[in-house]
Amino acid sequence: MAAPMAWVRLRFSLFSPALSGVLNRLSDRFRRIGDRRSGSSVLLLAPLLAQTDPDALVSTWPPGSAGTEGLQARFRWMAELAPVFQVPGACVRVLRSPDEFYQVMKARVKTARRRVVMASLYLGTGPLEQDLVDCLQEALERSQSVDDPHDLTVSILLDYTRGSRGKQNSRTMLLPLLRRFPDRMRVALYHTPDLRGLLRLLVPQRFNETIGVQHIKVYLFDDSLIMSGANLSDSYFTNRQDRYVLLEGCRQVADFFAELVGAVSDVSLQLGPDDSVRTKEGMVHPYKGDRNQFSDSARCRIMQVVDAAREQQLLQRGEPDGADTWVFPLVQMKPLGIRVDEQVTARLLTEADRDATVYLTSGYFNLTRAYMRLVLSASARYRILMASPEVNGFFGAKGLAGAIPAAYVHLARQFYSQVCRRGQQERVRLHEYQRRDWTFHAKGLWYYLHGKDRPCLTLIGSPNFGYRSVHRDLEAQIAIVTENEALQEQLQQEQEMLYQRSTEVSSSTFEQPNRYVKLWVKLVTPLIKNFF
């Protein structure tokens, strides 16, 4: 029986993702046809690029000091697409390591008095995650003490599919808090509207998150927040390199993200103390209700937050506060028809000056075709950092997932070949992150103006610049534009720390034995690359 059973398992491991890939490629094809009818992913920039008279725009960019005019003129177009918040650069701190991220988060939970808001893909089930849950419990208990009562509430947003996987999962970790503090604790589980009907029945639990997930990573404590790409799991607290930025005492930014997470939570399934899930009253069910009705209502609810922030800023025009740093929240939720991050990222890649330098990093190098075309046709210099196979999060995984690092090697080689065919090896350089016993999950970019040795802009958050980030998942990041020299220095040190652990990619890189890609992986990669 051993041989037949092994064959059954092999067929199942290959059939499930392949079936998922075929069904979803059909839906993607219809979606792309719709996109072509309304304009390609590059043509979506046409309305933005057509606005040649900046004085004719009604900008929500707040006035700043006279010394900021250069940055305002260069990046004021962002304020036409997203809210913008002025903050002191001294209140922004770049965290450097997984342990620092974890320790800061626990410390902030312990001192929170009004609110803790966490949005992540999932919460792990190990001792470090339990320690974090215990910190939440202690904070809630302290808020009910006679000596120092306060109105602390905890709101956690996770993805339904990833958070429900296995018997021990994110839900079971949080149920004790829900049962003990039902009036102060909320757990919402976002379920993509694209996983429904026959697809939901056929795709097994291990692969169903490839259809689309809640991918936003926001960790908020009173008026401070951490923006990151890291999840709430032990590897992200120990040896999985990511990026993290702490904004301290930035109430307007914290309010915006608390409301954004609250809006996504409203359209998600609500976890009950008995481990049941239900929709919030008046909301459309994500996979049982009508697909278009859910997307329309969810988009309306989420855009209320974005539009309200922009309207408030229009009312506050003419109230300068002398800040030296600006924060733009960028939201991408293509399944719900929200594409702000895609538009801003594409325009940044398009308009980078000939003498500018862009450092771009992704834990999973799988740029969309539109982003690839923009990088290859741009004038700026690009330094792109990706994971080497050994630090890829899927390295050593069982089954089909174990071939994913090789698929990324194949995609990187294809992109590098395009760079070489165009003779752009000097302008566009690829680097591989390498670190023994670590994995790599950092994403974002740093933008350097001509002649400057420190960046004036960074993108940091959850997007990976790939198909999933643009088309499938819920994503959010922030663009930080700063003239604060100390903050610029922090960003420069962060960039150097990551790139110093890398080696530059050349043609010989792909000739190494550990870069060998089997034929079947090359054949399957076009079918599945939009799912990882």
Side-chain angles (χ1 to χ4, degrees):
M1 289 297 291
M5 286 304 295
W7 170 242
V8 168
R9 286 195 295 269
L10 176 61
R11 284 192 307 168
F12 186 75
S13 66
L14 293 174
F15 173 77
S16 298
L19 176 63
S20 171
V22 170
L23 293 174
N24 277 276
R25 283 178 69 84
L26 288 174
S27 66
D28 289 344
R29 185 176 294 272
F30 287 121
R31 188 178 297 158
R32 284 197 296 270
I33 291 172
D35 286 346
R36 291 192 192 104
R37 289 172 179 169
S38 60
S40 72
S41 53
V42 176
L43 291 177
L44 67 87
L45 292 173
L48 308 177
L49 300 176
Q51 296 175 346
T52 57
D53 180 10
D55 293 329
L57 300 175
V58 180
S59 177
T60 59
W61 184 294
S65 64
T68 68
E69 291 176 359
L71 291 181
Q72 284 200 15
R74 184 175 298 273
F75 299 113
R76 68 179 298 175
W77 57 266
M78 286 190 190
E80 312 310 319
L81 299 171
V84 51
F85 300 98
Q86 295 183 103
V87 302
C91 293
V92 182
R93 177 157 65 100
V94 177
L95 308 181
R96 304 292 293 274
S97 69
D99 181 66
E100 185 180 12
F101 165 60
Y102 180 59
Q103 298 301 334
V104 168
M105 189 159 46
K106 287 202 303 178
R108 295 307 169 109
V109 167
K110 292 177 180 179
T111 58
R113 297 182 60 83
R114 292 189 297 110
R115 61 185 176 186
V116 172
V117 179
M118 293 186 171
S120 188
L121 175 63
Y122 69 104
L123 170 69
T125 59
L128 293 180
E129 297 93 318
Q130 185 60 58
D131 193 19
L132 181 61
V133 172
D134 291 342
C135 288
L136 290 171
Q137 179 176 319
E138 292 171 11
L140 287 166
E141 289 173 345
R142 190 165 53 251
S143 70
Q144 295 181 330
S145 68
V146 177
D147 297 333
D148 185 27
H150 45 276
D151 298 324
L152 178 67
T153 60
V154 175
S155 178
I156 297 179
L157 169 66
L158 305 172
D159 181 70
Y160 178 91
T161 55
R162 187 62 178 270
S164 303
R165 183 196 291 178
K167 292 183 178 180
Q168 287 292 114
N169 52 43
S170 305
R171 293 163 64 165
T172 59
M173 290 288 288
L174 294 169
L175 283 174
L177 292 184
L178 269 177
R179 291 165 181 157
R180 186 168 178 183
F181 306 99
D183 298 329
R184 293 175 177 260
M185 183 79 184
R186 180 189 191 187
V187 178
L189 303 168
Y190 176 82
H191 192 295
T192 177
D194 293 327
L195 183 63
R196 57 175 49 236
L198 185 63
L199 189 64
R200 195 172 191 273
L201 292 174
L202 292 178
V203 180
Q205 190 178 65
R206 187 181 178 190
F207 298 103
N208 56 13
E209 68 181 78
T210 62
I211 310 305
V213 294
Q214 191 305 112
H215 201 242
I216 298 170
K217 321 294 172 61
V218 175
Y219 308 110
L220 190 154
F221 321 95
D222 289 343
D223 294 334
S224 300
L225 75 154
I226 298 173
M227 292 295 300
S228 180
N231 291 305
L232 296 172
S233 180
D234 56 358
S235 63
Y236 292 91
F237 304 152
T238 54
N239 64 344
R240 188 157 170 77
Q241 183 65 60
D242 214 300
R243 298 181 65 209
Y244 337 82
V245 63
L246 170 65
L247 291 84
E248 298 188 84
C250 299
R251 180 160 190 168
Q252 288 186 325
V253 183
D255 286 347
F256 174 86
F257 277 102
E259 292 169 11
L260 178 68
V261 173
V264 178
S265 297
D266 285 348
V267 304
S268 301
L269 297 171
Q270 313 298 307
L271 183 64
D274 59 352
D275 199 25
S276 64
V277 292
R278 58 177 177 79
T279 56
K280 189 176 179 181
E281 186 176 354
M283 297 297 175
V284 180
H285 197 283
Y287 64 87
K288 293 180 179 178
D290 181 81
R291 169 68 171 81
N292 291 331
Q293 287 184 5
F294 173 81
S295 295
D296 290 344
S297 62
R299 179 175 62 253
C300 181
R301 175 69 186 90
I302 292 163
M303 288 305 297
Q304 283 177 355
V305 176
V306 178
D307 293 340
R310 301 192 72 219
E311 290 171 6
Q312 182 64 28
Q313 289 167 358
L314 285 172
L315 294 175
Q316 293 176 347
R317 292 180 71 197
E319 298 180 12
D321 62 7
D324 55 12
T325 301
W326 300 270
V327 176
F328 299 83
L330 309 178
V331 181
Q332 181 74 13
M333 302 177 179
K334 186 74 171 286
L336 309 181
I338 301 172
R339 306 171 64 177
V340 177
D341 182 68
E342 176 187 3
Q343 292 175 309
V344 170
T345 301
R347 185 157 176 179
L348 270 177
L349 299 178
T350 301
E351 297 195 345
D353 294 342
R354 176 179 297 276
D355 295 319
T357 302
V358 176
Y359 285 79
L360 184 150
T361 179
S362 175
Y364 305 112
F365 182 72
N366 186 13
L367 297 181
T368 65
R369 290 182 180 179
Y371 288 167
M372 276 196 232
R373 287 197 298 266
L374 293 174
V375 170
L376 292 172
S377 62
S379 299
R381 293 184 294 272
Y382 281 87
R383 305 293 180 261
I384 300 174
L385 179 62
M386 56 190 178
S388 66
E390 295 79 11
V391 300
N392 187 292
F394 291 98
F395 185 74
K398 296 179 180 179
L400 187 67
I404 290 179
Y408 282 117
V409 170
H410 182 56
L411 293 170
R413 184 169 193 167
Q414 289 181 321
F415 179 74
Y416 183 75
S417 296
Q418 292 188 58
V419 172
C420 293
R421 281 198 299 270
R422 295 169 181 247
Q424 298 187 1
Q425 299 95 311
E426 288 300 313
R427 190 183 66 81
V428 181
R429 297 183 180 181
L430 274 63
H431 302 257
E432 284 188 344
Y433 185 90
Q434 297 174 333
R435 191 173 184 181
R436 186 180 178 86
D437 298 326
W438 280 60
T439 56
F440 184 69
H441 197 248
K443 70 271 295 186
L445 66 76
W446 302 259
Y447 186 105
Y448 292 72
L449 295 173
H450 173 57
K452 302 295 183 181
D453 57 2
R454 292 176 298 200
C456 65
L457 177 149
T458 191
L459 297 183
I460 181 168
S462 63
N464 280 296
F465 305 107
Y467 187 94
R468 284 195 57 171
S469 290
V470 173
H471 294 277
R472 295 190 181 282
D473 299 339
L474 302 194
E475 307 277 10
Q477 64 179 337
I478 56 175
I480 301 176
V481 177
T482 182
E483 63 167 3
N484 183 286
E485 293 184 358
L487 177 53
Q488 290 180 351
E489 181 64 25
Q490 287 189 69
L491 294 171
Q492 168 65 14
Q493 291 175 0
E494 177 195 36
Q495 179 265 308
E496 288 182 346
M497 176 193 72
L498 294 174
Y499 279 73
Q500 283 173 354
R501 293 187 177 274
S502 72
T503 56
E504 187 169 348
V505 171
S506 65
S507 297
S508 61
T509 302
F510 299 105
E511 303 304 322
Q512 298 173 14
N514 62 343
R515 300 301 191 281
Y516 174 73
V517 180
K518 296 178 181 178
L519 177 60
W520 74 268
V521 175
K522 295 179 181 179
L523 295 175
V524 170
T525 296
L527 295 174
I528 64 174
K529 69 176 184 177
N530 294 342
F531 302 95
F532 59 82

